Amino acid sequence: MTSSPPLAHNLDDPCGERELAGERLHADGDPGLDVFLTGQVFMDMIFTGLPFLPPPGTELMTKGLGSAPGGVANIAVAMSRLGLRVGLAAAVGDDLFGAYLWRTLSEQEGVDLRWSRQLPGWPTPVTVSLAYDSDRSMITYAPPPPLPATGLVATPPRTKTCFLDIDRPVPEWAISLRKAGATVFADLGWDPTETWSAEVLDRLEHVDVFLPNAVEAMAYTRSGTPEKALEALAERLPVVVVKLGERGAIAIDSTTGERASAAALPVSAVDPTGAGDVFAAGFVFGTLAEWPLAQRLRFANLCAGLSVRHLSGSLGAPCWGEIAAFGEGIEVPSEVLSDYSFVVPYIPQTELEEGAYTVARAQPTLRHTD
């Protein structure tokens, strides 16, 4: 017989009556979205198990391959799997990859695509991710779309939060949503020019929560340590989280005066693709659940840590079944599990029943559908 999910098994009252995770956040009956976001969706081809990166003129064989929606889809899927109501404005091509992405996001993952479009004649962007030595290198083909994602949003929907990439100027729809009461979360990507312009940080005046990684935070603030970068950023906006990778994360919430740090899960990473996006999804959920800062960090680290154990990207994001099974197959002391007791009331009842929890994973090939 299958044993009870370890996280629930090691906590008091694991099988009491509980609402679905998302429903606990929707007790007010608000029919709007939990999160709205825009950006570019990519077709991700993820190679894992590489002994080294292939030198020029060579061919390297590997046994690990996954196919999954990438780009902004990483965080959209991760949020939806946590029970959040997610709306996405993105463009995909009308080719085979675009059809796969559309069906996967809307039908399998439950992401609301009413603000998205399939653009005739435009090839869907593709990224090849090479996972090696607990990190990854990427190669991307991304022809400019004839219609940018921001152009898809004529009137923004009612939403509790929105998520932005501040590599670009903050769009007017996000500013208007913030004025209407939405919480604005933001991240940013690697600066290929490595100039790390301070103009980017000026955009934080329109942001409530910023979640850079340590390299980005130090580069933009010209700081020598992640801790100094965190302090500098905290002067600009209410909540800052600096992701430290294998060392976890540190954060300051200036609205409450909280300061917190949380260690990463002790897991062996198979593929870190999209782990930062999964972390952000967990932090958004914790914010909507109104958890203290330390609990928000722990839950975000939990989600990210679970994702890197598999072919990752968007389809490596954990479902509640995997969260309920936390502790199975990895050495996690009971005192560590007890630190996550605040999560248990949000685990859907069906996931707490013996043998009920299941997860979805990235597939090695694109399956034909009628």
Side-chain angles (χ1 to χ4, degrees), residues 25 35 74-75 77-82 84 163 185 211 241 274-304 317-318 320 323 342-343:
L25 304 181
V35 190
N74 286 334
I75 191 166
V77 169
M79 290 174 173
S80 183
R81 289 190 172 190
L82 293 176
L84 300 182
F163 203 97
F185 291 75
L211 302 106
V241 179
D277 294 321
V278 177
F279 177 99
F283 197 84
V284 170
F285 184 95
T287 301
L288 289 172
E290 300 182 347
W291 290 337
L293 184 61
Q295 292 182 355
R296 283 178 270 168
L297 287 185
R298 287 195 197 110
F299 185 67
N301 276 337
L302 172 63
C303 293
W320 279 103
I323 293 170
F342 63 92
V343 177

Side-chain angles (χ1 to χ4, degrees), residues 66-369:
S67 303
V72 71
N74 286 334
I75 191 166
V77 169
M79 290 174 173
S80 183
R81 289 190 172 190
L82 293 176
L84 300 182
R85 300 172 299 197
V86 181
L88 172 63
V92 298
D94 62 349
D95 51 13
L96 174 64
F97 286 159
Y100 162 80
L101 294 173
W102 193 277
R103 291 185 65 133
T104 300
L105 290 172
S106 62
E107 297 179 17
Q108 177 179 318
E109 300 299 339
V111 176
D112 191 338
L113 298 182
R114 74 181 75 179
W115 301 272
S116 298
R117 283 179 58 186
Q118 290 182 278
L119 303 180
W122 179 61
T124 299
V126 178
T127 290
V128 174
S129 178
L130 305 176
Y132 164 68
D133 194 24
S134 298
D135 209 334
R136 79 275 188 265
S137 299
M138 295 184 288
I139 303 170
T140 294
Y141 168 70
L147 179 65
T150 53
L152 299 172
V153 186
T155 302
R158 184 168 61 182
T159 182
K160 294 178 182 177
T161 71
C162 58
F163 203 97
L164 308 173
D165 184 337
I166 61 165
D167 291 339
R168 296 171 293 278
V170 176
E172 287 299 323
W173 62 259
I175 295 174
S176 66
L177 282 176
R178 190 179 188 223
K179 290 179 179 178
T183 301
V184 177
F185 291 75
D187 202 343
L188 77 175
W190 176 263
D191 180 1
T193 69
E194 298 189 40
T195 57
W196 312 105
S197 171
E199 179 184 353
V200 173
L201 296 187
D202 292 339
R203 298 168 189 162
L204 293 176
E205 66 175 308
H206 303 297
V207 174
D208 299 294
V209 184
F210 186 39
L211 302 106
N213 65 36
V215 173
E216 296 157 351
M218 290 189 293
Y220 277 108
T221 61
R222 276 64 173 174
S223 301
T225 67
E227 292 75 15
K228 290 182 180 179
L230 177 69
E231 296 287 347
L233 291 169
E235 297 177 359
R236 291 179 172 266
L237 74 161
V239 180
V240 179
V241 179
V242 175
K243 297 170 288 190
L244 306 179
E246 295 180 349
R247 293 187 292 128
I250 53 178
I252 294 176
D253 186 336
S254 300
T255 64
T256 63
E258 296 171 281
R259 293 169 177 259
S261 63
L265 291 191
V267 299
S268 178
V270 172
D271 173 26
T273 305
D277 294 321
V278 177
F279 177 99
F283 197 84
V284 170
F285 184 95
T287 301
L288 289 172
E290 300 182 347
W291 290 337
L293 184 61
Q295 292 182 355
R296 283 178 270 168
L297 287 185
R298 287 195 197 110
F299 185 67
N301 276 337
L302 172 63
C303 293
L306 293 176
S307 77
V308 303
R309 299 189 300 166
H310 311 278
L311 287 177
S312 195
S314 60
L315 301 191
C319 304
W320 279 103
E322 188 171 6
I323 293 170
F326 171 47
E328 185 176 80
I330 57 176
E331 294 297 328
V332 181
S334 58
E335 61 269 20
V336 173
L337 285 174
S338 67
D339 287 340
Y340 293 87
S341 59
F342 63 92
V343 177
V344 174
Y346 290 82
I347 299 174
Q349 174 63 34
T350 55
E351 303 293 0
L352 291 172
E353 297 171 359
E354 292 189 32
Y357 50 93
T358 58
V359 296
R361 291 289 167 231
Q363 298 296 320
T365 60
L366 301 185
R367 299 185 181 277
H368 174 74
T369 55

